[in-house]
């Protein structure tokens, strides 16, 4: 993190709302994308917004300003996970088969739509790998899991997405 | 005819590339500065109090303990007044009566008259 960013984090921690806004310029779209991958479009921005409220309250307790982005990402991720578990954001198999058929029939299948057939953690791993281009270690740090778990989730997710694109029921 | 690659990573590569470009092209409805402003305003309101799970567990254990004490208390109660102390059974009903002032009696047969060989 560059010195200016560190200074912004310190100012924000002392109550400077403008500094907080400048800090979020880069992180906010990334947080919303992560929330979209886990929750879908409907709740994504609300969940990310709720994460910002928590972050603003807890910012004075952040010991390492350089870890601000990862720390903020973890807050939003945990909120997304809690919401996803509460509402069991899963499509039933029949809907999955229907969507798979539509996805395959489409000349340009949209993997983003098929993410709904994965568990929340698997969705996050795929999103952070494919869209954000993060390393296994960065993903593990953000999601609070081991790097080996990241690879396992990704391998299984790709297998399942491949099956859906083939028009079969994922096992 | 070209077969699709067997490796799932290779198979999904074209779709993943398209997914990535679509996801990155979509901007949030709210601007970052606006989101930050809303967060600061919302943070001024008191945070909703969440009852921790351990408090519920403690309450449940306490209710269980209270229920156990009441049940134990009811077991220690003497039988109805018409039953003289020390005789705890009649023919039809099995009673288990604990009284700290008298010994425990437990009969499975009706009381025998004196001299009755049984």
């Amino acid at each position: 993190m560059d010195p200016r960013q560190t200074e912004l984090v310190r100012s924000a921690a002392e109550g400077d709302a403008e500094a907080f806004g400048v800090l979020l310029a880069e992180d906010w779209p990334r947080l919303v994308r992560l929330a979209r991958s886990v929750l879908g479009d409907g709740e994504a921005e609300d969940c990310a917004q709720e994460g910002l409220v928590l972050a603003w309250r807890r910012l004075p307790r952040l010991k390492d300003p350089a870890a601000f982005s990862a720390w903020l990402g973890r807050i939003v991720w945990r909120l997304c996970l809690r919401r996803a578990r509460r509402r069991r954001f899963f499509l039933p198999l029949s809907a999955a088969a229907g969507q798979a058929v539509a996805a395959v029939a489409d000349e340009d299948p949209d993997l983003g739509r098929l993410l709904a057939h994965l568990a929340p953690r698997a969705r996050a791993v795929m999103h952070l790998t494919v869209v954000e281009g993060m390393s296994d270690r960065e993903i593990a740090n953000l999601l609070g899991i081991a790097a080996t778990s990241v690879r396992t989730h990704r391998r299984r997710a790709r297998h399942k997405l491949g099956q859906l694109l083939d028009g079969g029921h994922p096992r | 005819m070209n077969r699709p690659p067997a490796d799932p990573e290779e198979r999904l590569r074209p779709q993943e590339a398209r997914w990535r470009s679509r996801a990155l092209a979509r901007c949030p409805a709210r601007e970052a500065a606006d989101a930050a402003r809303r967060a600061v305003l919302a943070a001024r309101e008191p945070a909703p109090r969440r009852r921790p799970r351990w408090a519920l567990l403690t309450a449940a254990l306490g209710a269980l303990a209270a229920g156990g004490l009441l049940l134990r208390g009811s077991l220690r109660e003497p039988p109805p007044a018409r039953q003289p102390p020390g005789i705890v059974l009649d023919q039809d009903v099995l009673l288990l009566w604990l009284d700290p002032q008298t010994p425990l009696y437990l009969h499975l047969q009706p009381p025998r008259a004196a001299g009755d060989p049984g």
Side-chain angles (χ1 to χ4, degrees):
Chain A
M1 197 183 224
D2 66 56
R4 185 168 176 264
Q5 292 278 68
T6 308
E7 200 45 52
L8 282 169
V9 172
R10 290 212 169 98
S11 299
E14 286 164 9
D16 186 347
E18 211 176 299
F20 191 51
V22 173
L23 272 173
L24 289 180
E26 213 174 290
D27 286 317
W28 173 243
R30 183 177 58 85
L31 297 172
V32 171
R33 285 195 296 263
L34 172 62
R36 271 192 197 131
S37 74
V38 179
L39 297 173
D41 285 344
E43 284 185 68
E45 285 208 31
D46 283 344
C47 187
Q49 181 69 62
E50 193 184 330
L52 294 193
V53 176
L54 285 177
W56 177 253
R57 285 194 178 124
R58 294 174 187 173
L59 198 47
R61 285 181 264 158
L62 176 62
K63 288 176 186 153
D64 181 12
F68 174 77
S69 287
W71 170 82
L72 184 54
R74 269 197 298 276
I75 290 174
V76 171
W77 157 244
R78 283 188 200 132
L79 282 173
C80 289
L81 186 61
R82 198 185 304 160
R83 283 197 188 200
R85 281 176 176 163
R86 226 181 283 154
R87 63 177 182 145
R88 306 277 194 267
F89 185 62
F90 259 101
L91 291 179
L93 267 179
S94 56
Q99 280 232 350
V101 167
V104 170
D106 188 356
E107 280 184 12
D108 190 9
D110 186 358
L111 272 189
R113 273 195 302 160
L114 297 180
L115 273 189
H117 307 288
L118 303 176
R121 197 168 268 120
R123 275 179 243 153
V125 167
M126 283 301 293
H127 168 80
L128 294 170
T129 301
V130 173
V131 177
E132 306 295 346
M134 290 170 71
S135 69
D136 289 351
R137 188 183 289 185
E138 287 169 330
I139 296 171
N141 182 32
L142 194 148
L143 301 184
I145 57 178
T148 48
S149 297
V150 171
R151 288 190 279 276
T152 303
H153 280 295
R154 187 168 48 231
R155 189 179 65 247
R156 287 178 184 167
R158 280 178 167 151
H159 180 72
K160 196 165 180 177
L161 289 171
Q163 283 185 311
L164 285 168
L165 286 174
D166 286 342
H169 287 276
R171 269 179 247 135
Chain B
M1 183 174 135
N2 288 334
R3 281 189 190 172
D7 178 17
E9 194 172 324
E10 287 298 318
R11 280 190 63 200
L12 293 175
R13 204 176 286 274
Q15 285 91 354
E16 287 183 4
R18 279 192 288 275
W19 169 31
R20 181 171 191 271
S21 64
R22 280 183 196 143
L24 290 175
R26 290 182 64 195
C27 298
R30 228 167 274 166
E31 296 285 335
D34 184 33
R37 226 176 354 258
R38 285 171 188 243
V40 170
L41 285 172
R44 285 185 192 151
E45 292 165 26
R49 290 186 64 188
R50 283 175 52 210
R51 190 187 298 175
R53 284 179 193 173
W54 62 260
L56 287 173
L57 187 63
T58 309
L61 286 171
L64 206 61
L69 282 172
L70 283 171
L71 186 64
R72 184 165 171 265
S74 70
L75 283 176
R76 288 167 66 85
E77 281 171 12
R82 63 184 176 88
Q83 290 278 353
I87 299 176
V88 297
L89 274 193
D90 70 5
Q91 222 162 336
D92 301 320
V93 177
L94 173 67
L95 283 174
L96 181 67
W97 172 35
L98 288 171
D99 184 337
Q101 318 234 311
T102 59
L104 168 68
Y105 294 93
L106 181 62
H107 298 274
L108 296 177
Q109 306 283 336
R112 294 191 210 113
D116 183 351

